[in-house]
Amino acid sequence: MTVSVFRDLHHGRTPGDPLVLPGPWDAASARVFADAGFPALATPSAGVAASLGYEDGATPAAEMFAAVARIVRAVPVPVSADIEAGYGLSPKELVRRLLDTGAVGCNLEDSADGVLMDPQRQADRLAEVRGVAGDQLFVNARVDTYVRGVPDGTDPETETIARARLYAAAGADCLYPIAAPPESLPRLAAAIPAPLNVFALPDGPTPRRLGELGAARITFGPGLQRQSMAAVRRIADRLHAL
């Protein structure tokens, strides 16, 4: 499937029917999700990190790109890759290494070391990535206002919308205000001129409900990998008790 088809999957969604993208952490989990009929997948950096034995945010770039390439090779559906804040790579090198994996898209965060980046600087970087990649990559720009916090006296929703609009103008295909509260989603979706990616939690609203609130795309972060590991833990406990 081409990047253009992957991009089209994000548009024309009806309320309650968002694009649901499971997050594989290795080739085996990717095959399970593809065999289940999902049209595309989106890797979670934290889930991949855990599968490789690293803490979230500590995976070396070479190992992350290699893991993404293995996932891409394992399935016949397009894969978007979470590449955190870009590992300090130049836009040219970042795009080259992404395309070498076979991924059709990427997530790029607007925080580093737990601190929000200057939004204009991030917008400029996104514009450079878009300029290098052309239409070869679907860029999902993550907005970290709800997970990193905003300065005192700043409204998180207002700051989120301002950043998202900057990133959309810079060429981002999709905006990802991670951990945005469900009650804010209708206002965010109305104010942001691009599809909205929403993070689904196990104990939160269903993907269908998130779609009704304004989400065009649903991802799960490392949640599916952690649920899988919880199942492995239960199996291990039963075996140990034999």
Side-chain angles (χ1 to χ4, degrees), residues 2-215:
T2 65
V3 178
S4 62
V5 173
F6 180 69
R7 185 174 283 112
D8 287 345
L9 288 172
H10 294 74
H11 295 276
R13 313 299 308 191
T14 59
D17 182 35
L19 175 62
V20 177
L21 298 179
W25 52 95
D26 59 13
S29 59
R31 288 193 186 103
V32 170
F33 294 132
D35 289 347
F38 289 97
L41 306 174
T43 69
S45 61
V48 173
S51 76
L52 297 173
Y54 293 102
E55 295 295 321
D56 185 20
T59 309
E63 293 198 44
M64 182 62 75
F65 287 118
V68 170
R70 288 192 293 272
I71 289 169
V72 171
R73 287 196 301 268
V75 294
V77 299
V79 176
S80 182
D82 183 347
I83 52 169
E84 303 175 283
Y87 307 109
L89 299 172
S90 70
K92 183 176 180 180
E93 179 69 6
L94 186 66
V95 169
R96 182 189 68 78
R97 294 181 74 168
L98 270 167
L99 293 178
D100 284 348
T101 70
V104 300
C106 67
N107 280 11
L108 277 173
E109 304 171 4
D110 70 345
S111 66
D113 300 320
V115 179
L116 281 172
M117 299 177 185
D118 175 78
Q120 187 58 61
R121 181 177 178 183
Q122 177 68 353
D124 291 344
R125 179 168 170 78
L126 289 168
E128 289 186 66
V129 169
R130 171 57 67 214
V132 173
D135 290 333
Q136 295 182 86
L137 283 175
F138 183 96
V139 178
N140 187 34
R142 204 176 92 171
V143 184
D144 287 357
T145 43
Y146 290 102
V147 292
R148 302 305 183 198
V150 295
D152 289 343
T154 301
D155 176 60
E157 191 172 296
T158 300
E159 179 67 15
T160 298
I161 290 169
R163 285 173 176 261
R165 286 176 170 170
L166 269 178
Y167 304 162
D173 296 283
C174 188
L175 280 302
Y176 182 16
I178 185 170
E183 60 271 19
S184 292
L185 296 181
R187 293 186 294 275
L188 293 176
I192 295 171
L196 202 66
N197 184 155
V198 173
F199 177 40
L201 293 168
D203 58 351
T206 66
R208 179 178 295 278
R209 178 58 182 152
L210 292 172
E212 292 170 349
L213 292 172

